[in-house]
Amino acid sequence: MAGQRSRPRGQLEQAVLEALWTADDGLTARQVLDAVAEPRPALTTVLTVLDRLGRKGAVVREEHADAPLTFRATHSREDHTASLMSSALAAASDREAALLQFTGSLASGDLEVLRRAIDSRSRP
């Protein structure tokens, strides 16, 4: 049906970023399209997503004199995840409650990693 989304909002952006993160070098738009799981969007849709990610600073276009245009993620998957987590925390009306809810949902292994990170930051 026209106008109906086949994916939830933001899921295609995430799929495009995943494709770029798994590549050793930049990818062409066609290569990004080939890496996206079904249902595959049109190539023009992938180009639109790449353009939007570029305007957000998440993707850079690399023009080559004798090769096709390629795209590369500007930040690692881990940097992107940390940014999403920071944004979510910034949007919380009660930061303490949000942090308590988040840490309460962590697996014990993840909680231990977080403890080590906090301990290493608190040492001079």
Side-chain angles (χ1 to χ4, degrees):
M1 258 184 209
Q4 192 174 30
R5 293 181 181 274
S6 58
R7 297 174 194 270
R9 186 177 301 277
Q11 192 177 54
L12 184 54
E13 281 189 5
Q14 187 66 29
V16 166
L17 285 170
E18 289 292 336
L20 295 173
W21 287 324
T22 58
D24 292 331
D25 296 316
L27 297 177
T28 66
R30 171 66 63 190
Q31 290 170 321
V32 171
L33 174 63
D34 291 343
V36 172
E38 295 289 340
R40 287 229 167 82
L43 181 59
T44 55
T45 302
V46 170
L47 286 165
T48 298
V49 170
L50 287 164
D51 181 61
R52 286 181 182 160
L53 288 169
R55 283 187 266 132
K56 292 178 181 180
V59 168
V60 64
R61 297 167 48 125
E62 297 176 332
E63 298 188 37
H64 312 279
D66 58 347
L69 178 68
T70 58
F71 300 86
R72 181 178 50 79
T74 57
H75 304 290
S76 70
R77 178 184 284 114
E78 294 75 18
D79 287 340
H80 180 72
T81 301
S83 176
L84 291 173
M85 292 168 71
S86 293
S87 294
L89 183 59
S93 59
D94 185 342
R95 292 172 68 97
E96 182 178 353
L99 284 168
L100 289 172
Q101 191 73 16
F102 174 70
T103 56
S105 69
L106 291 176
S108 60
D110 292 335
L111 197 52
E112 185 55 39
V113 169
L114 183 58
R115 278 191 188 104
R116 286 194 310 266
I118 292 169
D119 288 347
S120 69
R121 280 197 64 177
S122 61
R123 286 188 223 128

